[in-house]
Amino acid sequence: MSYNSSSILILYASYGHGHYQAAKSLQASLFERGVPRVTLLDVMAESHPLINKVSQFIYMQSFTTIPHLYGWVYYSTRKMKATSLFGKALHSLGMQRLQTVLEQEQPDLVIHTFPQLVLPNMKKRWKLTMPLVNILTDYDLHGRWLHPHVDHYYVPSTDMKQDMLTHDILPEQISVSGIPLRADFDHLSTDTYEVSHQAERSQLRIRAGLQPESKTVLLLAGAYGVLKNVREVCDQLASRTDTQVIVICGKNESLLQELNTHYGDHPAFTLIGFTDRMNEWMMMSNCVITKPGGLTVAECIHCALPLFLLKPVPGQELANALYLQSYQAAEICDSSTALAERLMIALDQPEILERMQAQLRTLQTPQASHYIADDLIERYLSQAHATQLVKVPLKPNLRTTIN
């Protein structure tokens, strides 16, 4: 089968950024390989915009006012079953909108980068035959991702594969792929820009207007009030003569203005708003202070960039942090004072960061978006599968089955 007539549907969610970014990255890789129709759909945003806005608000509040409540919900549902009453109710949201898209797109394959598993919930009832695939975007296995009608799982680590095997998922249903990253990370291979290769790192720093030989700390301040908790760290870094600091604020303009007030005139501080060069900023840094979202963790693993984490939010972020800590690739700190102390020790003893880098390299995977795209084409869009996958007709009376 020539897959230049194939249609693929990727379902994502706009909570955080990693789910959408993974979907965009995979879409680009599939386009590069000649798949002409790859449609992205945020099911909740399009089908239940009010519920989606409330959910986004709660997600944002989890970083500031209700982190422990969010964590309690996450951990209390971690072992949920898709076949439970709660699982069925959760996975039924967005059914009508998804039905309309299925009728329009007639996809040969459906991919999830967020565990809103509407389609697996409908697959048996509607006798649908297109394959369903999940791409997990955190380093902790939550029960929302698992469903008996999902055909294949792409997971970020061998540890997660082993965990999934204990949930009666067959080994042949699981591929260790890593998490799809933006194209700029995939195109900047760690084989070429090895973070321990001082000459390459120095060139990146020179192009960015930094001191080529100075120790470099990257601070991803984000939009969640992280900065106010690490001002003490910034003050200590500002007192060092051998260290420079890159602070990236994203689209948080007020945060950037506040930083400029305190550090704008300091020669060791580079303050940045939104950037499309995150791969280069990571590659030129010795370590990073950040929150451990799944995508950020995957980027740091790709760049072998040691992480210093301040009070990760209970839930998937704390789980990601504990995963890295179990490999001695990250430091989890419960206060800005503790973070400052550990960071200063690591900067003064380079062998600490080198050990963390070595551990991160053991966690690296192939370029995930390319690997997954190639595997999907071979697994589901090849000549061997043409007969059952070229078209998947939906029942003419399908609309009446969900009213």
Side-chain angles (χ1 to χ4, degrees):
M1 172 187 177
S2 173
Y3 48 85
N4 59 12
S5 62
S6 299
S7 174
I8 295 177
L9 177 63
I10 303 179
L11 307 180
Y12 71 97
S14 48
Y15 312 128
H17 190 60
H19 312 293
Y20 174 66
Q21 193 55 61
K24 287 288 291 182
S25 176
L26 182 58
Q27 181 189 47
S29 290
L30 289 165
F31 281 153
E32 288 177 2
R33 285 152 178 77
V35 179
R37 294 169 58 199
V38 184
T39 303
L40 303 188
L41 176 65
D42 185 342
V43 179
M44 285 297 293
E46 295 198 22
S47 58
H48 299 286
L50 180 59
I51 295 176
N52 188 66
K53 287 182 179 179
V54 171
S55 299
Q56 283 186 313
F57 174 78
I58 293 173
Y59 177 78
M60 294 294 290
Q61 291 302 306
S62 72
F63 296 99
T64 53
T65 60
I66 56 170
H68 294 291
L69 176 61
Y70 180 86
W72 178 83
V73 172
Y74 179 88
Y75 291 116
S76 63
T77 61
R78 190 172 181 270
K79 296 183 179 180
M80 65 168 281
K81 301 287 187 182
T83 54
S84 68
L85 289 176
F86 177 71
K88 289 179 179 178
L90 184 65
H91 293 317
S92 66
L93 296 172
M95 197 175 287
Q96 290 189 2
R97 175 56 182 153
L98 182 57
Q99 175 203 317
T100 300
V101 174
L102 291 177
E103 291 173 341
Q104 293 172 346
E105 299 296 327
Q106 288 288 309
D108 302 299
L109 171 67
V110 177
I111 302 166
H112 303 89
T113 65
F114 182 79
Q116 185 64 37
L117 308 183
V118 186
L119 192 51
N121 216 29
M122 308 182 317
K123 187 174 183 180
K124 182 178 180 180
R125 176 167 51 161
W126 291 357
K127 295 181 171 61
L128 301 178
T129 60
M130 80 279 281
L132 307 181
V133 168
N134 285 0
I135 300 175
L136 281 71
T137 49
D138 281 296
Y139 289 80
D140 182 58
L141 181 60
H142 194 282
R144 286 191 64 178
W145 284 104
L146 304 178
H147 198 289
H149 300 311
V150 169
D151 297 281
H152 202 79
Y153 298 86
Y154 293 93
V155 301
S157 69
T158 55
D159 300 274
M160 183 175 286
K161 179 175 181 177
Q162 293 303 312
D163 194 1
M164 293 183 72
L165 293 176
T166 67
H167 291 77
D168 299 323
I169 309 297
L170 299 176
E172 56 268 26
Q173 289 181 278
I174 311 168
S175 296
V176 179
S177 62
I179 297 174
L181 303 180
R182 294 186 295 267
D184 51 3
F185 280 89
D186 284 341
H187 294 157
L188 189 59
S189 170
T190 52
D191 291 337
T192 303
Y193 289 92
E194 196 70 58
V195 291
S196 61
H197 196 301
Q198 190 61 42
E200 297 289 0
R201 173 186 282 168
S202 296
Q203 287 301 313
L204 286 172
R205 290 175 178 173
I206 290 170
R207 289 202 295 268
L210 302 177
Q211 294 298 317
E213 303 302 325
S214 292
K215 299 171 183 177
T216 305
V217 176
L218 176 63
L219 172 56
L220 303 183
Y224 307 108
V226 175
L227 182 69
K228 63 184 179 183
N229 295 317
V230 296
R231 280 281 301 279
E232 179 182 342
V233 181
C234 289
D235 288 341
Q236 291 203 33
L237 289 170
S239 67
R240 295 179 65 103
T241 59
D242 64 342
T243 303
Q244 55 197 350
V245 186
I246 305 163
V247 186
I248 298 179
C249 302
K251 297 180 180 180
N252 193 329
E253 293 295 332
S254 61
L255 185 58
L256 182 60
Q257 291 176 7
E258 179 186 347
L259 279 174
N260 271 312
T261 300
H262 293 279
Y263 305 108
D265 295 328
H266 197 294
F269 277 75
T270 299
L271 309 177
I272 302 166
F274 176 79
T275 179
D276 57 3
R277 297 172 53 203
M278 184 64 75
N279 60 324
E280 293 187 359
W281 294 118
M282 283 190 171
M283 283 295 190
M284 69 182 75
S285 300
N286 296 98
C287 59
V288 62
I289 303 169
T290 185
K291 55 190 280 296
L295 183 70
T296 300
V297 168
E299 291 171 346
C300 291
I301 289 174
H302 181 82
C303 299
L305 183 63
L307 300 93
F308 289 80
L309 309 171
L310 177 61
K311 293 188 290 190
V313 174
Q316 66 267 32
E317 292 204 354
L318 178 57
N320 291 337
L322 291 171
Y323 174 74
L324 289 175
Q325 182 178 254
S326 72
Y327 280 91
Q328 299 181 320
E331 290 272 8
I332 300 176
C333 307
D334 59 7
S335 69
S336 56
T337 300
L339 191 149
E341 290 175 354
R342 295 185 191 182
L343 181 57
M344 296 305 137
I345 292 172
L347 290 173
D348 290 333
Q349 301 178 36
E351 63 273 14
I352 294 176
L353 294 179
E354 290 171 4
R355 285 196 298 267
M356 295 172 75
Q357 288 176 342
Q359 289 298 99
L360 286 161
R361 290 191 186 100
T362 68
L363 303 177
Q364 290 175 342
T365 58
Q367 295 178 352
S369 59
H370 299 332
Y371 172 86
I372 295 172
D374 289 336
D375 192 66
L376 289 173
I377 290 170
E378 176 63 26
R379 188 182 297 272
Y380 297 119
L381 303 180
S382 64
Q383 179 64 41
H385 301 279
T387 302
Q388 68 264 37
L389 294 179
V390 170
K391 289 187 178 180
V392 184
L394 299 178
K395 294 180 179 180
N397 64 344
L398 186 59
R399 190 175 302 277
T400 63
T401 68
I402 62 173
N403 293 333

